[in-house]
Amino acid sequence: MVSPRLVAKIEAEEPTLRLAVLIDADNAQAAVIEGLLAEIARFGEATVKRIYGDFTAPTSASWKKVLQKYAIKPVQQFAYTTGKNATDSTLIIDAMDLLYTRKFDGFCLITSDSDFTGLAMRLREEGLTVLGFGEKKTPEAFRNACHKFLFTEVLRPSATNEPTAQPQKAENDHPPPQSQSPAETAEVKQEFPKKFVLAALEQSSDDTGWAHLGTFGSYLTKLQPDFDSRIYGYKKLSDLVKAKTEIFITEERQAPGSTQKVLYLRAK
């Protein structure tokens, strides 16, 4: 079940959670760090930022370039034995030490490794919010162990470009525009799960069939922690439901006691 604090954050405008950000350098890409930290800022304040890995290895060169810029504390972990991942153990031990300080509302685990599934479950048992960030290859077990899981592919700069900018690359080419899209953008695109979304809408709607967008979004996350409108080409959930006119009917209503309008939707 999604933490009430996370639901409150999704619907609120300002960050409310004190977060510990723990990065597995062996299973995360430095290219997404700017988008990653911006995404984390939507949920709360990154009070602690640590990254774990062997920074003497050539594979960690890309991380060494961004650690100082983003004030991320590196935790050096040498590979003592071939085939054994000492980085995972160090990250888990640190996470438990931070947990028992009782200073944090939640943890951000940046990894594509299923070995952290048990850690995510343990943190949830303590009533803390667990946000996971990883690539599409991340096993389903870890994704579902988090309150919310976000694919790092959508955080790459090329994945957030406006679609109108893509055809410029294909001006002198004859293949369809789809073949000209950046690799990262193509990698995250999925078939829209119409059946699942309509089932979630039915469960989150009132007796008249209408659902508040925030309630609908929260229910989607409860059922599928890795649901993200950006995977389907829309920056926000509101953009997605407004664009899918063949599936949804949308209506903006005046919020009680406010001049702001809120979005409601129902199945067409």
Side-chain angles (χ1 to χ4, degrees), residues 6-258:
L6 176 58
V7 174
K9 172 64 207 86
I10 293 175
E11 297 180 349
E13 290 295 331
E14 298 181 357
T16 57
L17 305 181
R18 290 171 55 86
L19 301 171
V21 179
L22 307 181
I23 306 172
D24 175 12
D26 297 336
N27 289 283
Q29 301 295 322
V32 302
I33 188 62
E34 184 174 358
L36 176 69
L37 293 177
E39 190 72 21
I40 291 172
R42 293 179 55 239
F43 297 97
E45 177 188 359
T47 307
V48 167
K49 292 181 288 185
R50 298 180 185 176
I51 184 168
Y52 303 79
D54 183 0
F55 299 101
T56 64
T59 53
S60 298
S62 59
W63 277 113
K64 288 190 287 186
K65 297 178 181 178
V66 300
L67 297 184
Q68 185 175 4
K69 178 179 179 180
Y70 294 102
I72 303 173
K73 179 182 178 181
V75 180
Q76 171 65 30
Q77 184 60 57
F78 293 100
Y80 299 116
T81 307
T82 303
K84 299 293 183 180
N85 197 336
T87 300
D88 291 5
S89 301
T90 305
L91 191 156
I92 292 171
I93 292 171
D94 255 14
M96 296 309 294
D97 286 343
L98 293 171
L99 165 66
Y100 291 125
T101 65
R102 307 297 178 186
K103 294 180 179 179
F104 301 94
D105 300 308
F107 282 74
C108 299
L109 304 178
I110 294 83
T111 181
S112 301
D113 193 341
S114 63
D115 289 347
F116 294 102
T117 302
L119 173 62
M121 295 172 64
R122 180 69 179 86
L123 294 172
R124 288 188 63 158
E125 289 174 357
E126 291 292 325
L128 300 182
T129 296
V130 180
L131 305 174
F133 299 81
E135 298 177 350
K136 288 295 298 297
K137 66 180 181 181
T138 306
E140 190 174 7
F142 176 64
R143 284 151 47 185
N144 290 334
C146 302
H147 286 104
K148 178 69 177 175
F149 185 89
L150 295 102
F151 294 115
T152 54
E153 285 89 346
V154 303
L155 304 178
R156 293 176 181 273
S158 57
T160 58
N161 287 340
E162 293 296 326
T164 54
Q166 295 178 9
Q168 295 178 0
K169 297 182 179 180
E171 287 180 354
N172 300 322
D173 297 328
H174 297 290
Q178 291 89 335
S179 64
Q180 303 301 319
S181 301
E184 295 86 352
T185 303
E187 187 178 357
V188 298
K189 284 192 175 179
Q190 292 184 0
E191 182 181 353
F192 185 71
K194 178 179 177 181
K195 185 176 180 180
F196 161 73
V197 169
L198 286 176
L201 178 58
E202 182 180 359
Q203 294 297 321
S204 57
S205 60
D206 58 21
D207 294 339
T208 65
W210 288 93
H212 183 279
L213 181 67
T215 304
F216 175 58
S218 297
Y219 200 84
L220 285 173
T221 302
K222 291 178 184 178
L223 294 179
Q224 190 172 309
D226 59 4
F227 184 88
D228 192 328
S229 60
R230 288 170 294 188
I231 298 175
Y232 310 105
Y234 301 93
K235 186 177 180 180
K236 298 178 181 179
L237 181 60
S238 58
D239 296 334
L240 185 151
V241 299
K242 288 178 180 178
K244 297 288 184 180
T245 54
E246 74 281 9
I247 302 176
F248 305 110
I249 299 174
T250 59
E251 181 180 290
E252 290 189 345
R253 302 178 184 176
Q254 195 82 24
S258 173

